[in-house]
Amino acid sequence: MSSREDASTGRHAAHAESFTHNADAYAAVRPGYPPAAVDLLVPSDAHDVLDLAAGTGKLTEPLVARGLRVVAVEPAEGMREQLVARLPQVEVLDGTAERIPLPDASVDAVTVAQAWHWFDEPVAAAEVARVLRPGGTLGIVWNDRDEDVPWVGAYGALLHEVAGPQLARGTHPTLGDAFTDVLRTDVRWEHVLTPEELVRLAGTRSYALVLPADEREALLERVRTLVTTHPDIAGRDRVPVPYVTRVYSARRR
Ligand SMILES: C[S@@+](CC[C@H](N)C(=O)[O-])C[C@H]1O[C@@H](n2cnc3c(N)ncnc32)[C@H](O)[C@@H]1O
């Protein structure tokens, strides 16, 4: 099933809603974005930036740190609460990619981190084009674990068993005629976690969150066994998790 077909189902809504109930764990263990990726997401001459589907603010934070004027839009209340607590100086609005609560031509750049696959793509692309000033940019990013590394592949395989095909992995944005100069760049880096944080990380995936409690616990126990026994990482206090961060940038015509 493609992410777009999935977007029209109740399952999709349940997944999106699931983020609200796990915002604490999400903020604690999900990876952020390396500076090289942030450089690619927002041009150096941008001032006003919309961070769309901002979640708990993992990308919003480095944008603010760069001195940008950032508005964050996020539909899940639990995520917004975390974001406001973390970055009180940021304007945080309730809204969706399909209905962005901003005027036409009001921002220089829009960023979307780890969320484009949740959107109704043609509707979201048109909305992003509407709020961007002409020549403004859209930056879309996904953090993919590098599953070519054997223990990471085994960790991913456990999650894929419950997730079915990964929703985000391999998703390429199709932006339509309003955008040009679409460019993809991969950034490799590592996020260091403790073994128990690796278990919690599995629990923040939307497909794990929507499992019945006993199945979710069983999954996390299998993940715990893997991270404590896999010969490449067993016995370590800190485990570097390799990521390939995919950055797409495009310019509004
Ligand atoms: C995986 S989280 C990413 C959050 C944040 N950008 C980050 O990098 O940590 C996906 C976010 O997309 C939001 N989301 C889901 N569907 C959305 C939609 N249609 N419009 C806007 N945001 C949406 C969820 O509420 C969630 O906060």
Side-chain angles (χ1 to χ4, degrees):
M1 187 185 284
S2 79
S3 58
R4 238 148 299 142
E5 285 162 333
D6 198 37
S8 62
T9 67
R11 177 169 156 258
H12 180 90
H15 279 236
E17 170 66 14
S18 69
F19 286 118
T20 289
H21 304 299
N22 206 44
D24 285 342
Y26 190 101
V29 296
R30 279 284 190 109
Y33 302 96
V38 181
D39 288 345
L40 293 162
L41 284 166
V42 181
S44 54
D45 57 354
H47 296 290
D48 301 315
V49 179
L50 162 63
D51 189 24
L52 182 57
T56 60
K58 292 242 172 217
L59 178 61
T60 322
E61 188 161 32
L63 296 175
V64 169
R66 286 174 183 226
L68 295 161
R69 197 159 49 230
V70 186
V71 178
V73 168
E74 165 58 46
E77 191 182 358
M79 293 295 211
R80 284 199 307 278
E81 282 168 5
Q82 290 263 344
L83 179 46
V84 168
R86 178 178 187 167
L87 298 168
Q89 71 274 48
V90 170
E91 184 181 3
V92 181
L93 302 175
D94 181 6
T96 66
E98 295 78 9
R99 198 161 175 179
I100 300 173
L102 289 181
D104 296 358
S106 54
V107 292
D108 303 313
V110 174
T111 55
V112 179
Q114 210 71 16
W116 185 265
H117 57 289
W118 290 106
F119 302 166
D120 181 338
E121 188 170 47
V123 181
E127 266 297 81
V128 169
R130 179 184 68 75
V131 302
L132 275 175
R133 296 179 180 131
T137 61
L138 168 61
I140 298 174
V141 62
W142 281 284
N143 271 327
D144 293 337
R145 288 180 308 274
D146 184 356
E147 296 194 352
D148 291 341
V149 174
W151 78 262
V152 184
Y155 180 93
L158 275 179
L159 297 183
H160 300 322
E161 268 184 42
V162 291
Q166 274 262 52
L167 289 177
R169 194 172 291 274
T171 304
H172 299 283
T174 306
L175 301 175
D177 292 342
F179 292 91
T180 183
D181 299 343
V182 182
L183 194 72
R184 170 183 166 165
T185 314
D186 291 348
V187 177
R188 290 179 175 275
W189 64 292
E190 290 178 342
H191 185 217
V192 180
L193 292 177
T194 65
E196 197 48 37
E197 285 171 337
L198 263 171
V199 176
R200 287 183 78 199
L201 175 66
T204 68
R205 310 311 303 208
S206 61
Y207 39 77
L209 292 170
V210 297
L211 289 175
D214 55 336
E215 288 178 36
R216 185 163 176 271
E217 274 316 305
L219 169 71
L220 296 187
E221 201 44 52
R222 289 176 72 197
V223 173
R224 186 172 286 111
T225 301
L226 173 82
V227 302
T228 52
T229 61
H230 193 287
D232 294 348
I233 55 171
R236 291 213 197 166
D237 294 339
R238 315 281 294 163
V239 182
V241 185
Y243 277 91
V244 182
T245 297
R246 279 185 289 139
V247 183
Y248 295 84
S249 60
R251 195 164 53 78
R252 187 198 188 292
R253 287 182 198 276

